[in-house]
Amino acid sequence: MADLKEQVVAMRQSFFDEEILDNYFIQLEQLENEDNPNFVEEVVSVFFSDSFNHLAIIEEEMNKSPVDYLKLDRYLHQLKGGSASIGANKVKIAVNRTREDCKEGDMEGARASLQELRMEINSLKAKLETYYEV
């Protein structure tokens, strides 16, 4: 049992050491209590659901001609806000990269950044699912 607890502690710490998560995640964890023991897991689950919906819309918008950069930025901004609110640091950085590419009118770069963003979200989801399973 002690080994498992040590593994969980080490796994959680690795999220911060690798800058996958930031202090906002800690603040989110502090909101969890006996009345709502799965609060963080539920919030994170909603984030992932929203994120995948936003990614689909963003991808669709990027494929339109002409591209509505304001609409695209609005969805990216929402994704940035969601990632920041749960402390998803690497996701937030990837969103910023995608937004910058869009602002510069570099759709090829934006599409590549979007794929990187999708990978960061999938990676975070897999790591947090493993963390919560343990």
Side-chain angles (χ1 to χ4, degrees):
M1 183 71 164
D3 286 345
L4 182 60
K5 189 166 186 144
E6 288 174 17
Q7 283 180 326
V8 170
V9 169
M11 180 186 293
R12 182 182 177 281
Q13 186 58 47
S14 73
F15 297 151
F16 297 98
D17 293 345
E18 297 171 28
E19 298 181 351
I20 295 167
L21 296 174
D22 63 23
N23 287 333
Y24 285 103
F25 187 80
I26 294 169
Q27 291 175 5
L28 195 61
E29 286 179 320
Q30 291 170 346
L31 297 174
E32 203 163 80
N33 58 38
E34 290 176 9
D35 295 333
N36 201 352
N38 299 321
F39 177 74
V40 177
E41 192 172 356
E42 290 168 7
V43 169
V44 168
S45 178
V46 169
F47 164 75
F48 286 120
S49 175
D50 288 350
S51 294
F52 291 122
N53 288 335
H54 281 75
L55 285 173
I57 293 168
I58 291 165
E59 202 161 37
E60 187 178 304
E61 288 299 318
M62 284 184 172
N63 291 324
K64 288 183 178 177
S65 184
V67 174
D68 184 343
Y69 288 101
L70 289 175
K71 191 173 186 180
L72 196 55
D73 190 61
R74 189 169 50 246
Y75 284 106
L76 286 165
H77 183 74
Q78 289 174 4
L79 192 52
K80 178 184 173 183
S83 61
S85 71
I86 68 159
N89 188 54
K90 283 192 173 183
V91 171
K92 182 180 66 179
I93 291 168
V95 171
N96 284 336
R97 223 175 277 124
T98 307
R99 286 183 80 191
E100 284 303 312
D101 288 339
C102 288
K103 285 179 183 177
E104 293 172 3
D106 179 7
M107 286 313 296
E108 189 175 314
R111 284 185 184 92
S113 294
L114 184 65
Q115 293 313 311
E116 181 184 327
L117 172 57
R118 185 182 299 281
M119 286 180 5
E120 288 296 344
I121 291 172
N122 285 328
S123 174
L124 177 63
K125 186 176 190 288
K127 288 176 183 182
L128 288 178
E129 283 176 347
T130 301
Y131 175 69
Y132 284 114
E133 284 175 11
V134 176

